[in-house]
């Protein structure tokens, strides 16, 4: 299998919105705003931060986005990572996560953070395997008021 992770462009906004909705369908609570994402929303997020598209044998099968933290320029929040259902369990999500970490290091980011939804507890172990640690003292800046508060995890990139 040929795996490519490429940086997202403005032209990918519609593709990424569709990938997110498809990856989250039946997996993430229906009240999540990810189920209602539109290309203009994704485009704004890409322009504020960035994103990647995951290709397997030339087919777009996943995506991820990031943005600078609202109050800390050298901290990025990783958001909306997902792989299509047919590709889950293949280990492809790691390529997305590794791409964000590489990009963050290239941009001299000191820390990356992410939020694990209460309905996705298996992801805690996945992220821990990439040296993310629980950050109970932090609140997720984009939490959905309709859902239980997510668990925030962080990874320091300094040193």
């Amino acid at each position: 299998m040929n795996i490519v992770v490429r940086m997202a462009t403005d032209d990918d906004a519609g593709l990424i919105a569709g990938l997110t909705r498809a990856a989250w369908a039946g997996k993430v609570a229906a009240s999540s705003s990810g189920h209602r994402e539109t290309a203009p929303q994704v485009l704004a997020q890409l322009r504020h931060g960035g994103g990647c598209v995951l290709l397997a044998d030339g087919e777009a099968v996943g995506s991820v986005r990031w943005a600078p933290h609202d109050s800390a320029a050298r901290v990025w929040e990783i958001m909306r990572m997902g792989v299509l259902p047919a590709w889950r369990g293949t280990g492809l999500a790691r390529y997305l996560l590794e791409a964000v970490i590489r990009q963050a290091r290239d941009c001299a980011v000191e820390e990356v953070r992410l939020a694990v939804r209460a309905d996705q507890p298996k992801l805690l172990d996945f992220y821990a395997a990439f040296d993310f640690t629980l950050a109970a003292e932090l609140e997720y800046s984009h939490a959905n008021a309709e859902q239980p508060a997510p668990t925030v995890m962080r990874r320091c990139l300094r040193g």
Side-chain angles (χ1 to χ4, degrees):
M1 178 180 344
N2 182 31
I3 305 300
V4 174
V5 178
R6 66 170 175 76
M7 296 295 290
T9 68
D10 288 357
D11 292 337
D12 291 318
L15 170 67
I16 292 170
L19 284 168
T20 301
R21 290 189 309 267
W24 288 26
K27 183 89 172 155
V28 176
S31 62
S32 170
S33 60
H35 295 294
R36 296 176 300 284
E37 284 204 317
T38 65
Q41 290 169 323
V42 173
L43 179 60
Q45 290 174 348
L46 290 174
R47 289 180 174 173
H48 179 64
C52 291
V53 175
L54 172 67
L55 304 164
D57 294 331
E59 177 186 352
V61 300
S63 64
V64 66
R65 283 171 265 163
W66 63 85
H69 190 274
D70 293 341
S71 61
R74 295 218 179 262
V75 175
W76 280 4
E77 290 184 323
I78 300 171
M79 305 171 291
R80 304 282 202 233
M81 190 165 81
V83 174
L84 295 177
W87 294 88
R88 287 193 194 123
T90 60
L92 292 179
R94 79 174 191 268
Y95 293 102
L96 289 168
L97 190 56
E98 289 168 348
V100 174
I101 292 168
R102 264 192 316 278
Q103 183 68 19
R105 283 189 169 132
D106 289 349
C107 293
V109 169
E110 296 176 359
E111 181 177 292
V112 288
R113 297 179 185 168
L114 50 81
V116 177
R117 297 174 51 87
D119 58 357
Q120 301 293 314
K122 290 181 185 179
L123 292 178
L124 296 170
D125 290 336
F126 172 77
Y127 293 123
F130 289 89
D131 298 324
F132 281 81
T133 58
L134 296 176
E137 73 281 9
L138 298 175
E139 289 185 25
Y140 185 55
S141 62
H142 304 286
N144 182 339
E146 297 177 32
Q147 295 293 310
T151 300
V152 177
M153 298 182 81
R154 65 164 38 131
R155 178 174 168 176
C156 181
L157 301 177
R158 292 178 297 223

